[in-house]
Amino acid sequence: MGSTPAELPCDDVADNRSGVGGGISDVYGEDLATLDQLVTPWVSSVASGYSLMRDPRYNKGLAFTDKERDAHYLTGLLPPVVISQDVQERKLMHNLRQYTVPLQRYVALMDLQERNERLFYKLLIDNVEELLPVVYTPTVGEACQKYGSIFRKPQGLYISLKEKGKILEVLKNWPQRGIQVIVVTDGERILGLGDLGCQGMGIPVGKLSLYTALGGIRPSACLPITIDVGTNNEKLLNDEFYIGLKQRRATGQEYAEFLHEFMCAVKQNYGEKVLVQFEDFANHNAFDLLSKYSTTHLVFNDDIQGTASVVLAGLIAAQKVLGKSLADHTFLFLGAGEAGTGIAELIALKISKETGAPIDETRKKIWLVDSKGLIVSSRKENLQHFKQPWAHDHEPVKDLIGAVNAIKPTVLIGTSGVGQTFTKEVVEAMATNNEKPLILALSNPTSQAECTAEQAYTWTKGRAIFGSGSPFDPVEYDGKTYLPGQANNCYIFPGLGLGLIMSGAIRVRDDMLLAASEALAAQVSEENFANGLIYPPFANIRQISANIAASVAATTYDLGLASNLPRAKDLVKFAESCMYSPVYRNYR
């Protein structure tokens, strides 16, 4: 049907099935075709007429040409004007900007995704900095809270306790067979908003739209799943519009057996190389699931590993501003859950690799504060297992300001999920102890951030290097404009996923996360540093993802965990060739 992409020699395309189109078999040549070649809009038969206009994969709206309208029985079903995809994009962006409520924008974008898939992704790719806060944090948090009220059409797959014993059958109900990325949640810890049960579906849907827009994974290769084991949220249990099971959460053996059936069914139905991303599970389940399945499945937890990788990238980049190595720093975390301990462990691993010191030694540079105060060795017997490596010798300290004064950290990282916990006293203490304090307020959404960008810059008199989980506007202070960096997981997981897919990875290892961090940090320019940024602008996110994917794939091959052979000579070009394009195709 088509030919190998012109910029790559034949031996650089390891396998059509693993590369073009984000890594699934291109049965009808749709992605191998150049933009000037014609493709056939296949469903179970050739789509035409109303069925073509109502299929989001092929619908082009008013962009159907006169020739296509004649060939596919669309004449008269559309107004006579023919407009380009670019004009459609400008019109939609104009309409979106008329909405003053972010949730209205979210609903409008979800409607577009269900109506015209390619236009949705073109809109998102071309306007990523403006639309990312709508399809992802912070607006997606509000969307999940109100999911029952705004629910219009099912997205993704819902697997509830009612399907116990027949999960494999449920997976077979999904119409697409070549699934390569699954994002799954049980809705127990959605962002910093707590247990939202079945309404957490907004998170997998949003994450996978970013896998496509930012990482180039084909939409048909993505599957959002919500595991519904009940909810402990009383408000939802009493809400007549709640869309999930109205019962208390299953726990213990019942929960473990249900998740095990799910993981086995996924592997049986989609094979060894399907990437399963765990998303927004509660701490006690998140660590157990990652530990249990990391040796048997291709699994990744974005809250633990993705957050860790993106934060480490910011810290590596910041060393160029601070003139220090990671080993020269003392780190203090507020929050000792999935994100906090995940980041801490990856930092310790990076320092260990840089210095050759045992990881038990490098962990001693990192301190954590939880709800009971500084984690110290005298508390070890009563700590959860994932906190125990961070219990160091020190007298007990009850609060964060006490810990800042006692430990005198150079880096303060917030993963507590509680807003305004970096008080003026805490931030001023950081500024007293450091010429350029590095302050990362990572909790999402914006309302849960430990402090705002304005507070960080004002209380440190403009000396802070600041990053956050959700976006903040530029800050004017003392005649200078400061651009807050966003430690957004979107920098990491799309490129990481693409790298795993294009190499045919069978397991995720920490070295791959380190490779992703280093690749991201390497793309921060001197101009970015001059503006106080420790992350590159999102405007270049597809190129950033391609470089991360190439670095992850190279590490996968080096570790002997890649199955797509031979290895492409130029992995960056190969990554770019794998990326889904949302540009309209011409139909014969």
Side-chain angles (χ1 to χ4, degrees):
M1 179 72 207
S3 59
T4 302
E7 70 272 23
L8 291 174
C10 291
D11 61 357
D12 259 16
V13 181
D15 183 340
N16 163 17
R17 291 171 299 171
S18 65
V20 174
I24 65 171
S25 182
D26 187 23
V27 177
Y28 301 115
E30 178 182 350
D31 288 280
L32 277 174
T34 58
L35 292 181
D36 58 348
Q37 287 179 302
L38 300 176
V39 297
T40 302
W42 286 93
V43 278
S44 54
S45 58
V46 177
S48 63
Y50 257 70
S51 65
L52 180 56
M53 288 199 303
R54 293 182 176 179
D55 188 327
R57 294 171 298 169
Y58 299 117
N59 181 31
K60 300 198 288 188
L62 293 176
F64 282 112
T65 65
D66 289 335
K67 186 176 180 181
E68 288 170 334
R69 296 181 192 200
D70 284 341
H72 293 283
Y73 308 100
L74 296 172
T75 304
L77 301 181
L78 291 163
V81 70
V82 177
I83 62 176
S84 69
Q85 191 177 22
D86 288 337
V87 173
Q88 288 180 314
E89 182 182 346
R90 289 199 297 274
K91 174 186 172 184
L92 278 165
M93 285 306 299
H94 172 77
N95 292 344
L96 283 172
R97 288 167 183 149
Q98 305 309 305
Y99 292 119
T100 55
V101 179
L103 187 62
Q104 293 174 329
R105 292 187 181 188
Y106 176 88
V107 172
L109 280 170
M110 292 304 102
D111 283 347
L112 176 62
Q113 187 178 19
E114 294 167 10
R115 188 173 72 247
N116 186 331
E117 190 174 85
R118 287 185 180 272
L119 186 56
F120 168 79
Y121 285 113
K122 190 167 194 305
L123 207 70
L124 190 50
I125 292 166
D126 292 347
N127 304 275
V128 63
E129 290 177 300
E130 184 174 351
L131 296 181
L132 189 60
V134 179
V135 298
Y136 194 48
T137 182
T139 308
V140 72
E142 183 185 0
C144 288
Q145 288 176 308
K146 300 175 180 177
Y147 210 76
S149 300
I150 65 174
F151 180 85
R152 300 184 183 192
K153 182 181 176 183
Q155 291 178 295
L157 206 56
Y158 295 84
I159 302 176
S160 75
L161 284 172
K162 294 192 295 185
E163 284 76 60
K164 185 173 173 61
K166 52 181 181 179
I167 293 178
L168 182 60
E169 295 175 39
V170 177
L171 290 176
K172 290 181 184 294
N173 289 340
W174 188 251
Q176 303 297 336
R177 291 289 174 259
I179 299 300
Q180 292 194 298
V181 184
I182 291 171
V183 176
V184 59
T185 186
D186 70 353
E188 190 169 4
R189 193 202 61 84
I190 297 297
L191 301 175
L193 304 171
D195 185 351
L196 297 183
C198 196
Q199 297 188 171
M201 178 58 95
I203 297 295
V205 168
K207 280 284 171 87
L208 284 167
S209 68
L210 298 178
Y211 262 111
T212 297
L214 313 186
I217 311 298
R218 277 182 70 174
S220 58
C222 299
L223 175 56
I225 296 180
T226 290
I227 302 285
D228 187 357
V229 295
T231 179
N232 294 335
N233 186 324
E234 291 291 342
K235 185 176 179 183
L236 293 179
L237 289 172
N238 295 315
D239 183 353
E240 66 173 319
F241 300 129
Y242 179 55
I243 60 175
L245 292 178
K246 290 193 175 182
Q247 66 179 62
R248 293 276 172 186
R249 279 190 173 274
T251 58
Q253 186 176 351
E254 183 183 10
Y255 180 89
E257 288 176 354
F258 191 63
L259 265 292
H260 187 66
E261 182 190 346
F262 167 73
M263 293 301 293
C264 292
V266 162
K267 195 170 183 178
Q268 184 176 344
N269 202 45
Y270 299 120
E272 183 87 12
K273 294 186 285 185
V274 64
L275 173 62
V276 179
Q277 177 173 315
F278 296 122
E279 193 68 36
D280 287 351
F281 284 77
N283 290 346
H284 55 282
N285 290 324
F287 287 103
D288 289 346
L289 289 170
L290 188 60
S291 173
K292 182 175 181 179
Y293 293 107
S294 61
T295 57
T296 58
H297 292 66
L298 185 67
V299 293
F300 168 71
N301 186 303
D302 193 41
D303 304 301
I304 299 172
Q305 297 166 296
T307 303
S309 187
V310 76
V311 172
L312 178 59
L315 296 175
I316 293 170
Q319 304 323 301
K320 297 178 185 177
V321 178
L322 298 172
K324 293 181 178 181
S325 70
L326 284 177
D328 295 329
H329 286 283
T330 302
F331 303 86
L332 180 64
F333 286 76
L334 177 63
E338 295 170 55
T341 56
I343 299 165
E345 188 66 21
L346 202 62
I347 292 171
L349 181 62
K350 176 66 173 172
I351 296 173
S352 175
K353 286 184 176 291
E354 285 184 346
T355 63
I359 196 164
D360 287 343
E361 284 299 313
T362 60
R363 285 187 182 126
K364 293 177 181 176
K365 301 284 293 180
I366 304 167
W367 298 79
L368 279 68
V369 173
D370 64 7
S371 59
K372 294 181 173 61
L374 189 66
I375 294 178
V376 293
S377 51
S378 60
R379 294 178 51 195
K380 198 162 188 175
E381 288 185 8
N382 298 317
L383 291 172
Q384 293 163 289
H385 67 89
F386 54 86
K387 295 182 182 181
Q388 290 177 0
W390 312 103
H392 308 317
D393 291 333
H394 197 283
E395 66 271 12
V397 179
K398 289 186 177 180
D399 52 21
L400 179 61
I401 184 61
V404 169
N405 290 328
I407 304 299
K408 292 186 167 43
T410 55
V411 181
L412 180 64
I413 300 175
T415 60
S416 64
V418 182
Q420 294 299 301
T421 41
F422 288 175
T423 62
K424 184 179 182 183
E425 188 181 10
V426 167
V427 174
E428 286 180 344
M430 286 292 296
T432 299
N433 296 332
N434 302 281
E435 177 60 31
K436 285 185 176 291
L438 183 48
I439 298 172
L440 302 178
L442 301 179
S443 293
N444 291 317
T446 311
S447 59
Q448 306 303 113
E450 285 77 10
C451 69
T452 66
E454 184 176 10
Q455 289 169 337
Y457 292 124
T458 302
W459 293 339
T460 62
K461 296 182 169 54
R463 289 190 282 121
I465 298 173
F466 178 79
S468 58
S470 289
F472 282 102
D473 292 330
V475 174
E476 295 278 345
Y477 177 80
D478 198 23
K480 185 177 178 182
T481 301
Y482 295 87
L483 302 176
Q486 188 183 357
N488 195 319
N489 293 22
C490 294
Y491 279 116
I492 292 291
F493 70 80
L496 176 71
L498 178 59
L500 295 171
I501 288 170
M502 71 188 220
S503 62
I506 55 173
R507 300 289 180 268
V508 176
R509 294 289 180 261
D510 286 339
D511 283 348
M512 300 173 191
L513 303 175
L514 292 175
S517 298
E518 289 159 4
L520 175 57
Q523 292 171 83
V524 186
S525 68
E526 291 299 328
E527 182 183 353
N528 300 149
F529 287 132
N531 289 323
L533 290 171
I534 54 175
Y535 294 99
F538 264 111
N540 303 322
I541 187 62
R542 275 209 155 192
Q543 188 58 48
I544 292 167
S545 293
N547 280 281
I548 290 172
S551 186
V552 169
T555 304
T556 306
Y557 282 108
D558 292 344
L559 293 173
L561 293 172
S563 63
N564 287 341
L565 301 170
R567 172 176 173 164
K569 291 178 181 176
D570 188 331
L571 286 170
V572 175
K573 281 189 175 180
F574 186 48
E576 290 168 350
S577 78
C578 291
M579 287 183 163
Y580 165 84
S581 168
V583 176
Y584 286 148
R585 301 302 198 183
N586 296 315
Y587 302 145
R588 59 169 59 81

